[in-house]
Amino acid sequence: MGFPYGTAPLVILLIAIVSGAAAMLSEATSPRADGRPDLIFATFSKEHAAAYQPAVERFELEHGVDVQLQVVSQRALQGRLQSSMQVGADVPDMVELLDGTLGVFAKGPVEDVGFVDLTEHVHREGLYDRLVTSRFGKWSSRGHIFALPHDVHSVMLAYRRDLVEDLGIDVSMLTTWDEFCRVGREVVTKDLTGDGVPDRYMIDLPADGGDALRLLMLQRGGAMFDEAGNVAFDNPAAVDVIDWYVRRVAGEDRISFPAGWGQNLAKAMTDGLVLFYICPDWRLKQFESDVPSLAGKMALMPVPAWEPGARRTTTWGGTGLAITKQCGNPDLAWKLAMHLYYDPAQLGERFAQTLILPPLKQAWTEPQIDAPSPVFSGMRVGRAYADLATQVPEEQSSAYMTLAVAKLSEAYNNALAHFQAGGEANLHEVARNELKSAAGRVRTVMERNRFLRDGAEIPVAAAAGTAKGVR
C-alpha cells in the first residue's frame, strides 16, 4: 500500500523523522548549546583529579554527557567559591572541600548554605551505615550533611624498622604512650658523639604543636567542638595532652625532634635522626616518593594508646564532595558523586594508586587492600589502616574552626613558655587556665552569630535518627 499523500510528502516526513532523531542524539551526547559542559567538577588536588579521570570518562560514555574536571589551588578554590556564592556568580556544579573549610560556607542560616543538603540522599542510599559513620561529622552543620566523605585518614606511626630492630625495641610492646616515652628516654634519645646534643630522637613532633596537638587530643577523647557546635577544647583531655606534649618537646623528658616537611623530613628519615613519624594514610605515598632509599626499611604500628586497651588511632585531614545549589542537574551530579566515591569496583584500584583508604566499608574486601607493600617491609598497609578505621574519632565542623585552632595553639605555646621559663611547677594548672581563657575568647566571638546560636541544637547523630524515621 502506498503513502496516501504521495511520494513527496513521504520523503519530507522521513527526512523530518531522521533529522529529529539526529537532533535528539546530538543533544544527548554533545556539550550544551551554551557551550557549558553538563557538569563542572572542581578539586584542589591534582592527585585526586588524575585518579578520577578514567572514572569520569566511563561516566561520560555511560550517560552521554560531558563532564569537565578542573584542578584549582585550594586557596583560590575556597576564596573564589565563597565570593561567587555571595554575589550569585557562576560556580562549579561539584566541588571538593579540604578538611576544616565547610564552616567557611556555613556561617549563616542553614537555608542559605550554598551547597545542596544531602542528608536525605545519604540515608536513602544507606550511606550512613555503609560508610565509617564518624566521617560525616566533618561535613555537617547543625545536623545537615553538606558534603560526602572521601576518606577515613586513620593514623598510624611509621618507623625505621631496621634501626628500631637494631636497638632491640619490640614495637608490639609499645602499646601505651607511657611505655613509648620510657623507651624513647632510656633507649633511643641519646647523645652518641659526646657533644651534649642528642643525635637520635624517638618521634617527630612539631615544636609549635601544629596539627599533632589536635589529633592527639582527639585520640584522648577531647574535641575542638561538641556535637551541638559548642566550643569544647578547654576539656580535661586537652589539658592532659598539652601537659604531655610540652614535656616531650622540651626539658629532661624530651624525646622528639621537629623534622618538618619536604627535604628536611627526608634527610631526618634517611639519616635516622628520628625513628617514628605520625602517619595518616595520605602520607604513605609521600614517603614512597620522597625517601625511595628506605624501601624495605620502614614499617607501621598502631598509635600507642593513652590508657591500656584504649583507642590506637586518631585522624588527620579529610576531603568532602559537595554539590552547589546552582548545579543545573543535581540528580546527574549525585550519580557522578556515587560513581566516583562509592563504586566498590573502582575503589580497589584507586587505593593502589593513592594508598588512601575509602570510607566505604564494602571496598575493604578488594584485593588491593591486602596487597603487600615493598616500602613498608611487605606489610599489608591497606588492611592495617582498615583494621583501625572504625576507631577513628569523630570531629565536628565549625565556622570557627580556624579561630579555635589558633587559640589552642596560643594556649599551648603559653604553657610551653611557662615550662621553659620555670620548669614543671604548676604546668597543669597553667595549661588549664590558658585553655579556659582561649576557649572563652572563641565563645565570645561565636556569641555574636545569632544564626549559629539559634540553630545549633541538632547534632548529626540525632538528625540521622530523625531521617531514618521518616524514610
Side-chain angles (χ1 to χ4, degrees):
M1 179 183 293
F3 190 66
Y5 304 106
T7 302
L10 174 61
V11 172
I12 294 173
L13 177 61
L14 291 174
I15 292 174
I17 292 173
V18 172
S19 300
M24 291 175 62
L25 181 63
S26 176
E27 184 178 351
T29 58
S30 301
R32 299 184 331 194
D34 59 4
R36 190 183 193 276
D38 296 281
L39 290 174
I40 297 177
F41 175 22
T43 178
F44 58 87
S45 168
K46 63 179 186 301
E47 290 80 11
H48 288 189
Y52 297 154
Q53 189 60 50
V56 167
E57 291 172 359
R58 286 194 292 273
F59 184 85
E60 289 178 317
L61 288 174
E62 291 172 6
H63 294 269
V65 296
D66 182 27
V67 178
Q68 186 180 90
L69 192 55
Q70 298 181 350
V71 179
V72 185
S73 75
Q74 160 54 25
R75 182 169 296 182
L77 178 60
Q78 178 180 320
R80 291 179 192 174
L81 188 61
Q82 185 181 16
S83 57
S84 296
M85 284 180 167
Q86 289 172 341
V87 302
D90 284 345
V91 298
D93 301 290
M94 309 166 69
V95 294
E96 281 198 325
L97 304 174
L98 184 64
D99 181 30
T101 60
L102 175 65
V104 173
F105 303 94
K107 284 185 176 179
V110 170
E111 59 270 23
D112 287 347
V113 175
F115 302 123
V116 174
D117 184 348
L118 302 175
T119 311
E120 290 296 329
H121 292 73
V122 165
H123 292 293
R124 191 178 304 119
E125 295 282 346
L127 294 178
Y128 200 77
D129 299 318
R130 293 166 57 202
L131 272 60
V132 177
T133 306
S134 62
R135 300 306 286 174
F136 285 104
K138 285 178 175 289
W139 307 111
S140 304
S141 178
R142 289 155 285 179
H144 299 265
I145 299 170
F146 288 107
L148 299 171
H150 164 272
D151 41 55
V152 183
H153 289 340
S154 40
V155 171
M156 302 186 75
L157 293 185
Y159 65 94
R160 283 288 303 268
R161 180 192 54 77
D162 55 336
L163 300 181
V164 166
E165 290 179 354
D166 287 346
L167 290 169
I169 298 171
D170 180 358
V171 296
S172 70
M173 303 301 292
L174 304 180
T175 57
T176 65
W177 280 116
D178 284 346
E179 179 62 10
F180 184 89
C181 293
R182 184 192 68 77
V183 171
R185 289 192 306 271
E186 297 178 4
V187 180
V188 177
T189 305
K190 299 290 184 183
D191 173 13
L192 304 174
T193 58
D195 62 358
V197 179
D199 300 288
R200 193 175 56 211
Y201 293 89
M202 187 69 166
I203 186 170
D204 168 30
L205 291 176
D208 64 357
D211 290 318
L213 195 65
R214 182 164 56 95
L215 64 89
L216 289 172
M217 181 185 69
L218 285 171
Q219 186 203 7
R220 196 171 175 78
M224 298 300 292
F225 296 88
D226 64 21
E227 285 191 344
N230 301 309
V231 177
F233 68 86
D234 52 347
N235 54 67
V239 177
D240 291 344
V241 169
I242 285 183
D243 188 314
W244 180 92
Y245 200 99
V246 164
R247 298 170 193 267
R248 302 292 88 78
V249 302
E252 295 181 354
D253 292 337
R254 175 184 176 184
I255 61 168
S256 70
F257 181 86
W261 296 86
Q263 291 184 346
N264 291 345
L265 173 63
K267 182 163 178 54
M269 295 180 73
T270 52
D271 288 353
L273 176 62
V274 181
L275 300 189
F276 290 82
Y277 299 84
I278 295 173
C279 187
D281 56 359
W282 53 261
R283 216 173 184 187
L284 295 172
K285 273 295 178 184
Q286 293 181 5
F287 288 163
E288 279 191 8
S289 61
D290 292 351
V291 284
S293 62
L294 296 183
K297 298 178 181 179
M298 299 287 293
L300 296 163
M301 62 166 278
V303 176
W306 287 105
E307 304 290 343
R311 178 183 285 139
R312 297 292 305 272
T313 189
T314 180
T315 184
W316 187 1
T319 298
L321 192 161
I323 300 172
T324 62
K325 283 183 175 175
Q326 292 188 40
C327 176
N329 194 340
D331 290 339
L332 184 65
W334 176 260
K335 289 178 182 176
L336 178 58
M338 294 298 98
H339 179 72
L340 291 178
Y341 269 32
Y342 307 132
D343 178 4
Q346 300 185 56
L347 295 179
E349 187 57 38
R350 192 171 303 158
F351 173 80
Q353 187 176 353
T354 65
L355 295 182
I356 293 176
L357 186 75
L360 183 71
K361 289 179 277 190
Q362 182 183 353
W364 302 348
T365 61
E366 294 297 313
Q368 294 87 347
I369 300 296
D370 286 306
S373 165
V375 174
F376 291 91
S377 306
M379 286 186 66
R380 298 183 300 156
V381 298
R383 182 57 51 198
Y385 280 93
D387 286 346
L388 294 168
T390 55
Q391 296 184 38
V392 165
E394 183 167 3
E395 187 172 29
Q396 308 297 326
S397 75
S398 172
Y400 297 92
M401 181 62 81
T402 301
L403 175 62
V405 169
K407 290 302 179 185
L408 173 65
S409 177
E410 182 179 303
Y412 158 74
N413 280 292
N414 288 341
L416 176 61
H418 167 85
F419 181 77
Q420 291 173 323
E424 64 182 22
N426 301 320
L427 174 61
H428 209 73
E429 189 65 22
V430 169
R432 180 184 295 109
N433 292 336
E434 288 291 340
L435 281 169
K436 183 178 180 180
S437 175
R441 289 195 286 276
V442 180
R443 290 189 181 100
T444 299
V445 174
M446 289 181 65
E447 277 295 312
R448 299 170 188 158
N449 189 333
R450 289 184 55 85
F451 302 117
L452 291 183
R453 190 172 69 240
D454 295 341
E457 292 83 7
I458 311 173
V460 175
T466 302
K468 286 180 178 178
V470 300
R471 277 194 298 174

